Amino acid sequence: MHTTTTSPEALRAAMVERIRKAGHAQRSEVERVLLDTPRHEFVPDADLAVTYDPWQAVVTHRFDDGRSLSCASAPWLVAAMLDQLDVQPGNRILEIGAGTGYNASLLAQLTGRADLVTTIDIDPDVTAKASQALAATGYGDVHVITGDGGHGYPDHAPYDRMIATVSPWDIPAPWWQQLAPGARLVAPLRWRGQGRSVSFTYTDGRLVSDSLHLCGFVYLRGETEGELSGPITADDKVKLHWDRDQAVDLNTLGGVLDQPRVTAWSGITIAPNEGHDGFWLRLTVTDQRVCRISAHPDAIPEVVNPIGGYWRPALVDGGSLVYLTARRLETGDDVHWELGAIGHGPAATELTEHLCDEARAWSPERDHYEPRLVIYPADIPDSELGRPVFEKTHSRFVFTYDCISE
């Protein structure tokens, strides 16, 4: 139901202006297609104000338990990923995750021919509605395929551009095989609990990144799960999430939060509007033990008291656990948050000091860093890789986080 009296065109123009001010839709062609495309026709059941809110995703399908199955991504993220993809006229494109069809319509405009765009989704209800919306808006020549996106779509390969709007833990082997030399791939990848939209160029048999954006997406269905998770409290209200190549044993961690709480403070502060994701990103390079902790609101702060936000880093070492926390500091009108660490278990004191030391090492370079992810096929030998290596099923991730001069 559309309750606002402002026209869709005016709402769309305001949306694009706000996205531009936030640093996205920097490519003029991306700005143009966002302005020209009636997003509300792809999410007809959503309120217009929500549809054209730059920061708001619109959930269109849910699992029986209420979890999001498919959605229209927030417009700022759509713009950011299209900037990353850098579509050129005549590019052949594969989209994994059909969503509402909105993104496929943007891709069709960017490449100049709808029949050069293929979008695939495992859910037939999703593809049926995407097909209807694309046909109704003039993009019926887009190829909408019902199938496992992890397999790509070889019939139209090779692709000059490939974009995933669902989050894979790995780069599936078929994707490697369906990329043209020099192709660009944009995918919201996961490693060590993080989720990042990463843009790559496919060159010399490897994928080399040139930008990363913090984000969260519905996971790629049908993928053999590489991120594991499990509760560390009897009531399941506190959970850990880790990669399968990490040494985490929930049996060893049993009752860890019942042990005394050890707290340490780093002396490092962040502004109220400054995230801690850069610290976590660096930590994935410097400490292979980093993973993610999540907690039900009922468990905060009595059981655990992690830093706010969805992304909450933790370290596990045997039967010991430490996680990032923060406390509010006020000096007159000046408000900051000091980073700290809370630990439990035999090595709690050592681990809390270690996490604070990591914050101190990160802070001087926080505005002067260059993260880069290079992905190799799984059969690449150790002698050709740097460190650290994140072991996946079909590939090996090598991540670096280097301080650069101004």
Side-chain angles (χ1 to χ4, degrees):
M1 179 181 296
H2 298 161
T3 58
T4 181
T5 58
T6 307
S7 71
E9 293 76 18
L11 289 169
R12 190 155 62 248
M15 174 192 80
V16 174
E17 181 180 3
R18 293 172 69 190
I19 289 172
R20 288 274 297 172
K21 287 181 177 179
H24 310 297
Q26 293 302 296
R27 299 183 185 277
S28 60
E29 61 273 23
V30 172
E31 179 184 17
R32 173 180 56 81
V33 298
L34 289 174
L35 282 169
D36 290 348
T37 306
R39 177 175 160 90
H40 62 282
E41 293 188 17
F42 292 89
V43 284
D45 296 330
D47 187 88
L48 280 176
V50 174
T51 299
Y52 289 109
D53 184 331
W55 326 119
Q56 182 70 54
V58 179
V59 176
T60 56
H61 296 77
R62 293 186 183 274
F63 289 104
D64 292 339
D65 62 6
R67 291 178 297 127
S68 175
L69 166 63
S70 183
C71 70
S73 299
W76 78 266
L77 186 52
V78 171
M81 293 179 74
L82 291 179
D83 278 343
Q84 289 181 305
L85 193 61
D86 187 22
V87 175
Q88 298 299 310
N91 281 165
R92 186 175 296 275
I93 305 171
L94 175 64
E95 178 189 35
I96 294 97
T100 63
Y102 173 66
N103 204 56
S105 75
L106 300 175
L107 294 170
Q109 294 171 74
L110 290 169
T111 191
R113 282 175 46 190
D115 65 316
L116 292 177
V117 178
T118 301
T119 184
I120 185 169
D121 201 286
I122 200 169
D123 191 289
D125 290 337
V126 171
T127 53
K129 290 188 176 181
S131 294
Q132 292 169 5
L134 285 164
T137 52
Y139 301 100
D141 287 341
V142 169
H143 303 281
V144 182
I145 307 298
T146 302
D148 186 346
H151 297 158
Y153 192 68
D155 290 7
H156 296 162
Y159 299 100
D160 306 297
R161 298 290 187 269
M162 188 181 294
I163 182 169
T165 55
V166 288
S167 179
W169 181 80
D170 193 6
I171 301 295
W175 295 10
W176 289 95
Q177 299 158 7
Q178 293 171 29
L179 289 168
R184 288 185 66 77
L185 165 68
V186 174
L189 295 170
R190 291 173 282 134
W191 69 94
R192 301 300 187 252
Q194 292 248 336
R196 301 271 171 168
S197 174
V198 189
S199 60
F200 300 93
T201 299
Y202 182 51
T203 180
D204 298 327
R206 59 182 186 161
L207 293 163
V208 181
S209 77
D210 51 48
S211 72
L212 298 91
H213 287 296
L214 186 68
C215 66
F217 272 88
V218 174
Y219 289 1
L220 175 65
R221 293 169 66 193
E223 182 181 48
T224 300
E225 188 55 62
E227 185 182 57
L228 307 176
S229 64
I232 55 173
T233 55
D235 59 7
D236 291 0
K237 289 185 177 179
V238 182
K239 295 182 178 180
L240 283 179
H241 310 264
W242 70 97
D243 289 341
R244 68 183 185 197
D245 64 329
Q246 293 181 286
V248 174
D249 183 351
L250 292 183
N251 292 325
T252 304
L253 284 169
V256 66
L257 294 177
D258 296 327
Q259 299 183 47
R261 179 183 290 192
V262 176
T263 305
W265 297 102
S266 67
I268 300 302
T269 60
I270 58 176
N273 61 348
E274 181 182 5
H276 61 275
D277 52 285
F279 168 65
W280 193 353
L281 193 60
R282 180 184 181 276
L283 197 62
T284 66
V285 175
T286 61
D287 198 316
Q288 289 279 15
R289 299 171 296 183
V290 65
C291 55
R292 174 163 58 94
I293 190 170
S294 63
H296 189 279
D298 291 349
I300 300 172
E302 286 77 12
V303 181
V304 290
N305 191 24
I307 194 168
Y310 182 76
W311 307 105
R312 295 162 167 174
L315 300 177
V316 173
D317 192 330
S320 299
L321 166 73
V322 62
Y323 56 86
L324 191 67
T325 189
R327 63 181 175 184
R328 182 185 175 98
L329 300 180
E330 295 186 40
T331 305
D333 294 333
D334 187 27
V335 176
H336 281 76
W337 290 86
E338 183 181 6
L339 299 180
I342 294 175
H344 298 263
T349 299
E350 174 191 345
L351 288 174
T352 53
E353 287 300 331
H354 169 72
L355 197 58
C356 288
D357 285 343
E358 289 284 354
R360 297 179 191 112
W362 160 75
S363 183
E365 65 187 49
R366 69 173 82 178
D367 297 321
H368 311 289
Y369 66 88
E370 184 176 45
R372 189 176 75 155
L373 179 62
V374 181
I375 302 182
Y376 299 84
D379 58 0
I380 196 78
D382 287 348
S383 59
E384 297 187 30
L385 301 179
R387 289 294 186 271
V389 176
F390 306 143
E391 300 289 359
K392 305 286 185 169
T393 303
H394 304 289
S395 55
R396 308 183 78 187
F397 287 22
V398 177
F399 186 72
T400 56
Y401 184 101
D402 298 320
C403 184
I404 57 175
S405 58
E406 295 185 70

